[in-house]
Amino acid sequence: MTRIFSGIKPTGHLTLGNYLGALRRWAEEDQHRADALFCVVDLHALTVDHDPARVRRLSRQAASLMLAAGLDPQVCTVFAQSHVDEHARLSYLLECVATDGEMRRMIQYKEKSVRAQAAGQSVRLSLLTYPALMAADILAYRADEVPVGDDQTQHVELSRDLAERFNQRYGHTFVIPKATPPAVAARVMDLQDPTSKMGKSHEATAGIVYLLDEPEVISKKVMRAVTDSADGVAYDRAERPGVANLLEILSACTGKEPEVLADSYDGYGTLKRDTAEAVVELLRPLQTRHAELSADPSYVDGVLREGAAKARALARPTVDAAYRAIGLLPPA
Ligand code: AMP
Ligand code: TRP
């Protein structure tokens, strides 16, 4: 059976981008067609300046939103990365297979390190080595597929390279994974800055729809989305990114093609109103379920505990095999 692994990092409140680009597909398709593991990748949240209490809170909230979005612990494995030692254990070996050059070429590293420096913060070494940990997440479970938004495909490519290199040098140990981007909404853009991704770690919030925003707040954000001054509604990502983003969001909510939707609108007002309404309705059941789950944190903790036990049992043999293959002495 196909094995799937994906993760979400608790660096901020989850956004509509996380839902349309990741969570929804995990819940509706991936968990049912494969042996799937979904992870709150909390160690990754420590690669940038962080507040311990906030990371703890966001980790539990991410887990509960994953369940609210429809991940079913009877069907798939939901767990926290830091509860399974194998991730960090394998990450070190992969750092010994990766090169400094290939880590520095990662777009996310370049962008985030520039941003940190501009804000007068130091760049943590773990931001550079992040892709080795991400590769470890994937390779430890011998995952075949990694469903991620297109901002993460470069990291999955690197995971493939590291797996191939390791296998070639030290003997066949890892499955070579591939990224599987979603068909629509691979990249939901910021409503105020439609040339950049709607990201949960960003500072400004007017362009970001959070999964737990109140319906009125969602409507206001969508109604105030930046468009352009051209006449009529047309789908053109390069020339008219704001309108294209709204059409793609509406498309993801309704299942209709953005080009078809563009033809059915004359002006931005109605397009925005329909998009706002569609997003509010899309998120309503998730918000209701989240409210129920957050009233019962011990349930969520129990899911994470059982998930970690299952994940550990899967990862340990592969990580042990990697330790032997690379030349480390087995414990007596
Ligand atoms: P992150 O928020 O970086 O932890 O990402 C978790 C998952 O959500 C990854 O699969 C991302 O590719 C996906 N994702 C995050 N932001 C967006 C976005 N704006 N559009 C589409 N997918 C996204
Ligand atoms: N780096 C991913 C992101 O920023 C999160 C992540 C960490 C991940 N480990 C992973 C995604 C393994 C898929 C598989 O979105």
Side-chain angles (χ1 to χ4, degrees):
M1 197 178 189
T2 305
R3 169 82 47 85
I4 286 183
F5 184 98
S6 199
I8 207 149
K9 53 182 191 306
T11 43
H13 294 282
L14 300 199
T15 71
L16 182 64
N18 292 128
Y19 184 69
L20 293 178
L23 279 179
R24 180 166 74 161
R25 189 172 48 139
W26 299 354
E28 290 178 0
E29 297 170 30
D30 294 333
Q31 68 173 344
H32 300 296
R33 67 179 178 86
D35 174 10
L37 296 112
F38 300 107
C39 185
V40 178
V41 284
D42 50 359
L43 296 173
H44 284 278
L46 310 185
T47 55
V48 288
D49 275 12
H50 79 286
D51 167 26
R54 185 162 185 267
V55 168
R56 208 173 291 127
R57 202 169 55 240
L58 288 173
S59 296
R60 190 179 271 127
Q61 188 185 75
S64 112
L65 280 169
M66 283 158 73
L67 300 176
L71 294 185
D72 178 352
Q74 307 294 329
V75 174
C76 65
T77 305
V78 178
F79 71 106
Q81 184 186 31
S82 63
H83 293 174
V84 180
D85 294 342
E86 270 52 42
H87 297 248
R89 267 181 86 210
L90 180 56
S91 180
Y92 179 71
L93 295 199
L94 296 175
E95 285 179 25
C96 300
V97 173
T99 67
D100 175 67
E102 65 192 343
M103 292 290 164
R104 288 185 197 281
R105 277 197 294 277
M106 293 293 112
I107 294 164
Q108 185 171 295
Y109 171 71
K110 289 196 226 171
E111 286 178 356
K112 288 195 176 173
S113 54
V114 166
R115 218 184 294 152
Q117 275 160 337
Q121 294 165 352
S122 54
V123 178
R124 294 185 180 184
L125 179 58
S126 54
L127 188 67
L128 179 62
T129 57
Y130 179 123
L133 179 59
M134 176 160 164
D137 299 339
I138 298 165
L139 302 183
Y141 298 95
R142 303 174 60 85
D144 305 285
E145 293 183 16
V146 186
V148 281
D150 68 0
D151 60 313
Q152 292 300 317
T153 46
Q154 194 188 28
H155 289 155
V156 181
E157 285 298 314
L158 179 63
S159 305
R160 285 174 71 89
D161 292 346
L162 297 181
E164 276 166 3
R165 200 176 303 154
F166 189 104
N167 286 351
Q168 216 164 30
R169 283 188 194 160
Y170 306 115
H172 187 84
T173 309
F174 299 120
V175 168
I176 312 300
K178 68 167 192 291
T180 50
V184 282
R187 203 176 173 90
V188 179
M189 309 308 275
D190 190 293
L191 296 172
Q192 289 299 320
D193 174 13
T195 54
S196 74
K197 176 180 104 146
M198 185 184 284
K200 64 173 140 57
S201 322
H202 299 173
E203 297 284 317
T205 58
I208 306 171
V209 173
Y210 294 102
L211 296 184
L212 296 177
D213 275 346
E214 302 282 339
E216 309 79 67
V217 175
I218 296 177
S219 293
K220 210 177 284 172
K221 287 178 177 174
V222 176
M223 294 306 293
R224 290 187 188 157
V226 166
T227 46
D228 54 46
S229 54
D231 279 339
V233 176
Y235 180 58
D236 182 341
R237 239 188 179 211
E239 297 297 323
R240 303 176 67 182
V243 186
N245 190 36
L246 289 172
L247 288 166
E248 287 180 8
I249 293 171
L250 185 59
S251 165
C253 297
T254 60
K256 294 183 190 148
E257 293 299 319
E259 294 83 356
V260 174
L261 289 167
D263 287 341
S264 58
Y265 288 97
D266 301 328
Y268 297 150
T270 43
L271 170 63
K272 285 179 173 177
R273 203 189 53 221
D274 286 359
T275 305
E277 206 174 283
V279 173
V280 167
E281 290 313 317
L282 181 78
L283 298 183
R284 198 185 293 282
L286 177 146
Q287 295 191 342
T288 307
R289 179 90 183 104
H290 178 265
E292 290 162 10
L293 287 166
S294 44
D296 189 3
S298 65
Y299 171 75
V300 178
D301 288 348
V303 168
L304 292 179
R305 190 170 52 244
E306 285 171 27
K310 281 201 276 175
R312 208 175 289 125
L314 287 174
R316 188 161 291 164
T318 303
V319 177
D320 283 348
Y323 267 66
R324 301 295 83 79
I326 207 167
L328 297 168
L329 201 59

